[in-house]
Amino acid sequence: LDANAPADSLVRAAKNGVEAGAKVCFDPTSVPKASLLTKSSDFLSCLSYMFPNTDELYAMARALDDWVEPCGSETSLVEYASSCLLGNMREKACLVITRGHRGLLLATKSN
C-alpha cells in the first residue's frame, strides 16, 4: 500500500489483504501521512512489511500512544522507534528502513 490514498481506504485495503491471507506491505511516502496512519491500530496490526525512511520511522513511532522520547545515539533511537512500531505490527513483521546514501536497515519482530 502507498500512503497517497485516503486513510480509510488504506485501512480497509489492509484489512481485506489480511482476510485474504496476504502479507500487507506499506510505504509511508511522507512524514504527515505516516503519522496519520500510525494513529490507527487497526492499520498497523495488518502490516507485515513497512518501508519508512528514518524521518517517517521517527514520526510514526512518536505518534504512538506509548512513545517515550529516549536519550542516546541515533542508533538507539532507530532501535527504539523500530521496536515500538514492530510491537504494533503483525507476527514476524519486518521494517526496511531506508537511509539514503547510508543504505538500509532491517528490523524484524521476534515472537
Side-chain angles (χ1 to χ4, degrees):
L1 300 171
D2 177 302
N4 286 313
D8 60 332
S9 297
L10 289 170
V11 172
R12 189 169 47 255
K15 287 181 178 181
N16 289 344
V18 169
E19 289 172 11
K23 295 194 182 284
V24 179
C25 304
F26 175 62
D27 184 351
T29 69
S30 74
V31 168
K33 292 173 186 175
S35 298
L36 176 68
L37 286 163
T38 303
K39 294 176 184 173
S40 170
S41 62
D42 286 344
F43 182 72
L44 282 179
S45 67
C46 291
L47 300 180
S48 294
Y49 299 94
M50 193 174 351
F51 306 94
N53 63 35
T54 51
D55 290 339
E56 293 162 346
L57 174 76
Y58 300 151
M60 292 168 67
R62 286 181 176 118
L64 296 170
D65 290 335
D66 58 352
W67 174 262
V68 176
E69 192 74 36
C71 297
S73 67
E74 179 185 1
T75 301
S76 62
L77 180 58
V78 168
E79 289 174 358
Y80 180 66
S82 297
S83 177
C84 289
L85 286 172
L86 286 166
N88 288 279
M89 293 170 66
R90 295 196 71 187
E91 185 176 328
K92 298 182 182 176
C94 295
L95 289 173
V96 178
I97 304 156
T98 60
R99 303 181 316 148
H101 70 279
R102 296 184 308 161
L104 302 170
L105 293 173
L106 175 65
T108 59
K109 183 176 186 175
S110 58
N111 295 355

